[in-house]
Amino acid sequence: MTTLDIFSDPICPWCYIGKALLDRALLEVPDHPFTLRWRPFLLNPAMPAEGMDRTTYLEGKFGGRAGALEAYRPVLEMAEAAGLEIDLAAISRTPSSLDAQRLIHWADIEGVQTAVVSSLFRAYFREGRDIGDREVLGDVADGCGMDAALVQRLLASDADRREIVEMDAAARGMGVTAVPTFVVAGQHAVPGAQPTELWLRVIAELRAAG
């Protein structure tokens, strides 16, 4: 099997789109050689733990309402082309994703990492839920077969908080500057939400190489 490391943030719309496009290829070739491993990257490492109002955040980041709308136009167009639903109007807050990244990290231990990532994307982009809220994260964990009570206890502690920050720093140190970034077999970096056709070619090349 070939490890496919995916550096992402669950509040990143391009990561949501990139996963959907990859998923299409994996469904088309069910005997694909990939083992997925989701790696943390914090889009907003300085975000307060309680997050902030989404409108305030977007207008501050993109220079006002018009800038925010313009920045999200290609996101919505690409999401529609990928057959994804994104309900931006339902999202009232931009959360800190540190706790969500901790949950993804623990999900790897439980063998349900991709399921948790999928649930976080759905909760945030389709349901407008605050995935910085620990009750929401507990619900996501429970829905993916994890022990929600244990997850809540871990979230209430500092468990693996420093590790996530260090992994984020390590990703930046190796040249990851935006997400999603896919790294094939620890060697070949593929940045951005890539089309399904690219992944089908990569899979074919890996299978041909044996």
Side-chain angles (χ1 to χ4, degrees), residues 2-8 14-15 17-19 21-22 34 37-38 174-203 205-206:
T2 300
T3 299
L4 180 61
D5 286 309
I6 308 170
F7 292 86
S8 74
W14 291 111
C15 296
I17 294 167
K19 179 182 181 299
L21 296 173
L22 171 64
F34 286 136
R37 184 168 60 177
W38 295 87
M174 64 183 280
V176 177
T177 58
V179 285
T181 292
F182 304 85
V183 179
V184 181
Q187 298 178 11
H188 307 292
V190 182
Q194 296 295 329
T196 298
E197 292 73 20
L198 178 139
W199 291 117
L200 291 172
R201 290 198 300 272
V202 171
I203 291 169
E205 290 171 4
L206 289 171

Side-chain angles (χ1 to χ4, degrees), residues 103 107 110-112 115-116 119 138-149 151:
L103 176 59
E110 298 288 329
V112 292
V116 164
S119 294
D139 286 346
V140 168
D142 183 63
C144 294
M146 298 177 70
D147 184 333
V151 166

Side-chain angles (χ1 to χ4, degrees), residues 12-29:
C12 165
W14 291 111
C15 296
Y16 180 39
I17 294 167
K19 179 182 181 299
L21 296 173
L22 171 64
D23 284 346
R24 285 185 179 181
L26 302 186
L27 285 172
E28 189 168 330
V29 188

